[in-house]
Amino acid sequence: MHSLKINVEDNVYSHLKFFLDGLSNKGIEVVEDKIVEKNSKETKYLFNTIAIDTSNYKFDREEANAR
């Protein structure tokens, strides 16, 4: 068994739902069907970044290869 989670636009949803309803009910179970707002927290992915100052660091390939 496989689990598949996808986000679809509103115009594609009706076609996809029609297709899934036409398949064998023994093979497919809709576990969750919910509407997600475009600006909700579920559609935003936040990445925290940090800056590392490497201007005074000398990169030595030989030393790195020795590790």
Side-chain angles (χ1 to χ4, degrees):
M1 176 175 273
H2 298 270
S3 176
L4 177 66
K5 181 177 179 179
I6 58 174
N7 293 326
V8 295
E9 294 289 328
D10 292 336
N11 58 347
V12 177
Y13 174 78
S14 60
H15 299 291
L16 183 62
K17 187 69 171 158
F18 177 78
F19 173 74
L20 292 175
D21 288 340
L23 294 176
S24 170
N25 289 338
K26 294 179 182 177
I28 293 179
E29 173 189 5
V30 176
V31 177
E32 182 178 3
D33 183 8
K34 67 179 181 176
I35 298 173
V36 178
E37 298 295 326
K38 278 210 177 248
N39 295 329
S40 72
K41 289 182 180 178
E42 292 183 14
T43 58
K44 293 181 182 177
Y45 298 97
L46 302 176
F47 297 100
N48 294 328
T49 60
I50 59 170
I52 301 173
D53 182 20
T54 59
S55 60
N56 294 328
Y57 185 79
K58 180 183 175 189
F59 293 97
D60 185 10
R61 169 131 344 251
E62 297 300 323
E63 182 182 340
N65 289 337
R67 289 187 227 157

